[in-house]
Amino acid sequence: MSTDSGCLDDPVSDFSRQLVDVDGVVKAVYVAGSGPAVVLMPEMPGISPDVLRMARWVRDAGFTVHVPSLFGVDGARPTVEGGERIVRRACVSAEFRAFAGGGTSPVTAWLRGLARRAHAACGGVGVGAIGLCFTGNFALTMTLEPAVVAPVLGHPSLPLDDPAGLEISDEDARAVRDRVERDGLKVLAYRFEGDRWCTGRRFAAYRALLGDAFDGRVLPDSAANTDPPPFFRDVVGTPHSVVTAHLVDEAGHPTLKARDEILDFLAERLGARN
């Protein structure tokens, strides 16, 4: 089905669409499953069918998955033209800090509120947070909320103009490091070796901040899906999305192994797995 014709590639009909108000800011959140809560944030250019596939895997592993709508058209397959428009809007939005020197994206305060609400609703020891691409580092900043105990950084891409930079203010970076050390948190992260949006220099910056608490895993470029949606083929232009657009759904494949490692990490930290 074509997004340009007004149809969606995934109707998201097996999720409950909820409007969540955090401090007067209302956003749609797609919720499914039972068990401890996991917040799965979309990658650019939105909640694509590949993001929803990952959400369903999280749901089916024994968690209540919450997918907030932060940008784009929910359920749409990423196109070149539509994706570029969404990226341009996000880069100038007051909610995001896409470039170096901007500090922490303000939307993370709303996401921490979502995590608090999800924990209160689902119970358990805490909440998992998975960021992807544009939202990759949001999972780390969300650990400023005590309920978040299982952060996963999927190919974190901000700031776009500094390959060695981190999308976080100095004050928040210190607070995150203190929280990680105090509570013994582990931070799981993934990237492809040749990814120009999430480079080895960025992973080195995470390790400098977090030390051994940062578990950054790197997949070879040869493991990436060679036929991703048009936005990833023509705009991203590099192996990038380990568990979504560039995942290969074949038994034993490195990207599928990465997905299983994430689900195992969530189970270990949150205490549930089907």
Side-chain angles (χ1 to χ4, degrees):
M1 290 184 286
S2 169
T3 303
D4 295 334
S5 67
C7 298
L8 298 180
D9 294 280
D10 189 319
V12 209
S13 57
D14 53 335
F15 290 74
S16 169
R17 185 179 185 273
Q18 303 177 6
L19 296 179
V20 176
D21 185 331
V22 176
D23 297 330
V25 178
V26 179
K27 295 184 183 294
V29 180
Y30 297 89
V31 182
S34 60
V38 175
V39 177
L40 172 65
M41 291 161 276
E43 64 185 354
M44 273 296 166
I47 302 176
S48 67
D50 288 326
V51 170
L52 289 166
R53 177 179 61 178
M54 182 62 188
R56 292 179 177 108
W57 281 328
V58 172
R59 174 199 65 191
D60 294 345
F63 304 100
T64 305
V65 66
H66 297 68
V67 187
S69 179
L70 303 179
F71 39 72
V73 179
D74 303 337
R77 184 171 185 262
T79 65
V80 172
E81 296 80 6
E84 288 179 331
R85 285 195 299 270
I86 293 162
V87 171
R88 285 195 296 268
R89 283 198 295 268
C91 284
V92 299
S93 168
E95 288 196 302
F96 306 108
R97 296 291 183 262
F99 302 106
T104 303
S105 290
V107 73
T108 57
W110 187 91
L111 291 165
R112 293 195 296 272
L114 172 62
R116 285 193 298 274
R117 292 173 61 107
H119 187 219
C122 298
V125 299
V127 175
I130 304 173
L132 302 170
C133 178
F134 204 83
T135 66
N137 190 67
F138 296 177
L140 181 65
T141 313
M142 284 176 68
T143 62
L144 294 175
E145 162 55 45
V148 177
V149 298
V152 180
L153 283 57
H155 46 282
S157 304
L158 301 186
L160 296 173
D161 58 342
D162 182 1
L166 301 181
E167 175 270 332
I168 191 170
S169 69
D170 291 343
E171 180 182 3
D172 284 348
R174 289 190 294 270
V176 164
R177 183 183 59 214
D178 291 345
R179 164 89 201 280
V180 166
E181 292 176 352
R182 181 177 65 249
D183 295 343
L185 297 189
K186 296 295 182 182
V187 179
L188 185 60
Y190 287 88
R191 59 178 290 268
F192 282 109
E193 185 176 16
D195 188 352
R196 67 188 177 100
W197 303 103
C198 180
T199 67
R201 293 170 63 194
R202 179 158 295 145
F203 267 31
Y206 279 117
R207 180 163 289 278
L209 175 65
L210 301 171
D212 291 341
F214 179 71
D215 183 358
R217 304 183 183 186
V218 182
L219 277 65
D221 292 350
S222 60
N225 174 19
T226 58
D227 187 28
F231 176 81
F232 293 89
R233 183 191 65 227
D234 298 338
V235 179
V236 176
T238 180
H240 181 61
S241 301
V242 175
V243 295
T244 50
H246 287 104
L247 178 139
V248 178
D249 191 5
E250 296 177 357
H253 194 273
T255 56
L256 206 61
K257 179 182 177 183
R259 177 208 65 179
D260 290 342
E261 290 169 352
I262 291 171
L263 297 178
D264 287 343
F265 175 76
L266 294 173
E268 175 189 352
R269 293 283 159 173
L270 304 180
R273 182 79 191 266
N274 283 345

